Amino acid sequence: MSKRKIVVAYSGGLDTSVMVKWLSEKYNAEIITATGFLGQVKEIEGVKEKAKLTGAVKSYIFDLREEFISNYAWKALKASALYEGTYPMATAIGRPLLAKMLVDVAIQEGADSVAHGCTGKGNDQVRFEVGVQSLAPSLNVIAPLRIWEFKSREEEMEYALNNNIPIKATKDNPYSIDENLWGLAVECGVLEDPTVAPPEDAYQITINPKNAPDQPAAITIGFEKGIPTTLNGVELNPVELVSQLRDLGAAYGIGRLDMIENRVVGIKSREIYEAPAAVILHHAHSELERLVLDKETFRYKQNVSNKIANLIYDGLWYSPLFKSLMAFVDSTQENITGEIKLEFYKGNIKTLSRNSVFSLYNKNLATYTIEDTFDHKASEGFIKIYGLPYKTLAQVKSSSKEEVTA
Ligand code: ARG
C-alpha cells in the first residue's frame, strides 16, 4: 500500500522544518511542502532545497505576489477593510490564499491531509482551517503545534539536531514576525507589555520618522474603479505599484502602527504593524471615495467595511456573506476613478489634491462667495419638517409635565 501524503505549508523556519520530520514519522506519511511567496523581504531562496534536506519527498514554491495583490489586497482596499479601524490585515488576507495553495497542491498530489505551523491560540489556525474546510471539505487538517510534545524552542532545536534537520544558527530574534508585500506584523518579546513603547529594533522595514528625509516627497496615485493603476502618471502592474509604495513609504517612516486587538479566540494581543503600502493606499482610496460617493452610499459603506474587516480577520474570506458584501462594494467602486496627490513627511501623509471626473464636489454649492448657487431659503422648510418628530416629542413631554430629557 502506498503511504499517505501530507502537504505542509512550509516557511523554512524552525517550526515547519521540525514539522516535516515529525509528521512523516508520526503518520508514516510522505511529506510534500508548499511555500507561497507573497513578497516578503526576508529571503526565501533555498527554501526548496531546505525542505528536501529536512525529509520532504517533494517541495513546491509558488510566486503568489500577483494573485495576492490583485485578488486579495485589492478587495480589502476597495472594501476599506481595516480591522478595528486600524490594522490593514496583511497577514489575514494572506492566509486564505495560502490555504488555497495547500488545497491545490493536495488535490494535485492526491494527499488526504494538509498541515500548518500555527499555534493553538492565534488567528491564523482559524484562517487556514476554515479556508481549507470551505474549499475542500474532505481534506483533513493537522496542526502539529497544537498537539506535539515540544514545549519550547530549545526542545524543537534538540529534535532538529538529533534528526539532522538543518537549522540556521541565527541570532535568536526576540520577535515573531509575519511578512508580505501588503505589510508586516511583529509580536512577542517586550511588546507583550502594553505599557512599554516599541523599541526601535521591533521595526523591520520602516525608518524612524525622526530620521526620515527633511524634504517631503509628493506622489500621485491614479485609481480606476477603486483599484490603483498608476503612480506619478506611470501605469504599473499591481506588484510593482505596491512594492514601490512600500519602499518609498518605508523610507519616509510611514505605516507604523501599534495596537491592542481582539483575537478570534478572545485574547487581547498587542501587535506592531509596518504597512507603508497599505496605509498609503487606504488613505488615497478613502480620499477618492469622499469626493465621489454620494452621502448615503458613503455612510452605508462604512458599516459594510467594518463587517468585511471582521469577516476577513475571523477567517471567513470564502464565506457567502463575504462574497455578497463584496458585490455591494464592487458596485460602489464604479466611479472610484481619479487621482490623489499625497505628500509624505516624517511618518505623516498629507493630501495635496483630489481629482475625479466623477467628483460630486460642486464649488458653486459649497462656496461662501458671491458664486453661491445654494438655495438658502429652502433650508427653512427642510429643517421645519426634518426636526418635526423631536419638536412633537418635546411638546408631548412638556404637556405631560414630564421633565424633558431628550
Ligand atoms: N495579529 C495579526 C493577525 O492576526 C498578525 C498575526 C501574525 N503575527 C505575527 N507576528 N506572527 O492577523
Side-chain angles (χ1 to χ4, degrees):
M1 213 184 80
S2 62
K3 278 188 173 181
R4 67 184 290 191
K5 290 180 184 172
I6 304 174
V7 181
V8 171
Y10 186 68
S11 72
L14 178 65
D15 288 340
T16 53
S17 295
V18 166
M19 255 170 68
V20 171
K21 181 76 184 165
W22 186 87
L23 284 166
S24 72
E25 287 195 335
K26 188 97 179 163
Y27 295 84
N28 189 29
E30 283 188 347
I31 307 300
I32 296 150
T33 63
T35 305
F37 180 52
L38 302 184
Q40 49 272 41
V41 172
K42 196 184 78 191
E43 279 230 42
I44 64 152
E45 247 173 62
V47 162
K48 212 166 160 169
E49 293 65 36
K50 198 168 172 190
K52 289 269 180 61
L53 287 173
T54 308
V57 295
K58 226 183 207 182
S59 66
Y60 289 94
I61 174 156
F62 301 99
D63 183 350
L64 301 174
R65 288 175 301 170
E66 158 73 33
E67 190 177 0
F68 177 55
I69 300 300
S70 298
N71 296 346
Y72 293 78
W74 281 176
K75 282 189 182 149
L77 179 66
K78 284 189 287 184
S80 311
L82 296 170
Y83 182 60
E84 295 183 343
T86 305
Y87 164 43
M89 296 193 292
T91 299
I93 60 173
R95 296 310 184 213
L97 174 55
L98 295 175
K100 183 168 159 284
M101 171 193 77
L102 284 180
V103 166
D104 289 345
V105 175
I107 290 169
Q108 190 185 317
E109 292 288 339
D112 62 75
S113 304
V114 297
H116 61 72
C118 308
T119 70
K121 60 198 283 188
N123 300 316
D124 290 330
Q125 53 174 349
V126 181
R127 297 168 185 152
F128 264 122
E129 294 181 40
V130 177
V132 171
Q133 283 171 347
S134 310
L135 296 170
S138 61
L139 276 179
N140 179 39
V141 188
I142 309 170
L145 271 75
R146 292 200 299 244
I147 51 177
W148 69 19
E149 60 276 23
F150 313 118
K151 284 183 286 297
S152 65
R153 217 180 140 77
E154 288 66 37
E155 288 183 21
E156 284 181 52
M157 295 276 239
E158 199 184 313
Y159 178 89
L161 222 63
N162 293 337
N163 288 281
N164 299 320
I165 298 167
I167 292 300
K168 248 202 243 152
T170 49
K171 190 173 110 314
D172 235 8
N173 190 325
Y175 305 111
S176 156
I177 298 166
D178 185 68
E179 189 204 353
N180 62 45
L181 252 186
W182 201 234
L184 183 149
V186 191
E187 62 180 348
C188 300
V190 291
L191 300 175
E192 286 179 358
D193 182 346
T195 66
V196 172
E200 203 43 41
D201 76 348
Y203 295 104
Q204 314 294 315
I205 59 167
T206 54
I207 192 171
N208 185 325
K210 272 196 296 207
N211 304 324
D214 290 327
Q215 289 306 313
I219 59 143
T220 301
I221 303 171
F223 287 84
E224 247 168 69
K225 295 188 190 295
I227 290 174
T229 51
T230 62
L231 188 55
N232 298 325
V234 181
E235 208 166 298
L236 294 175
N237 70 47
V239 171
E240 195 49 43
L241 190 139
V242 174
S243 305
Q244 287 195 18
L245 285 178
R246 173 188 62 184
D247 296 346
L248 190 67
Y252 282 82
I254 288 165
R256 290 184 167 192
L257 306 164
D258 173 2
M259 94 186 259
I260 305 280
E261 70 196 43
N262 290 294
R263 282 194 194 168
V264 184
V265 296
I267 301 171
K268 279 195 192 293
S269 63
R270 194 271 192 100
E271 191 114 34
I272 303 301
Y273 297 107
E274 294 178 279
V279 166
I280 293 165
L281 287 170
H282 271 289
H283 181 108
H285 177 261
S286 115
E287 285 291 291
L288 194 53
E289 284 195 331
R290 286 176 192 281
L291 192 69
V292 168
L293 290 183
D294 64 278
K295 182 177 78 177
E296 285 303 326
T297 305
F298 184 87
R299 289 181 173 181
Y300 196 82
K301 183 170 181 271
Q302 291 184 308
N303 301 326
V304 175
S305 297
N306 196 39
K307 183 63 192 174
I308 290 181
N310 289 343
L311 291 174
I312 296 175
Y313 189 88
D314 292 349
L316 302 179
W317 183 275
Y318 299 114
S319 66
L321 182 56
F322 177 77
K323 195 172 164 209
S324 303
L325 293 180
M326 274 313 298
F328 164 79
V329 167
D330 280 334
S331 148
T332 66
Q333 301 299 290
E334 242 351 270
N335 291 347
I336 307 303
T337 296
E339 292 86 41
I340 299 293
K341 189 171 180 185
L342 303 174
E343 182 182 274
F344 302 156
Y345 181 65
K346 294 194 183 287
N348 291 310
I349 304 175
K350 191 163 90 183
T351 305
L352 295 180
S353 141
R354 318 116 166 114
N355 185 25
S356 169
V357 287
F358 301 109
S359 169
L360 299 183
Y361 184 89
N362 183 330
K363 189 152 179 264
N364 289 337
L365 289 176
T367 187
Y368 285 93
T369 67
I370 193 80
E371 312 289 313
D372 188 4
T373 57
F374 183 78
D375 182 356
H376 291 242
K377 290 198 192 82
S379 288
E380 192 182 331
F382 163 71
I383 296 167
K384 226 181 221 169
I385 293 171
Y386 179 70
L388 191 59
Y390 315 101
K391 187 172 181 176
T392 310
L393 184 68
Q395 282 166 339
V396 169
K397 276 186 176 161
S398 64
S399 68
S400 68
K401 304 256 180 303
E402 252 183 46
E403 211 181 305
V404 179
T405 52

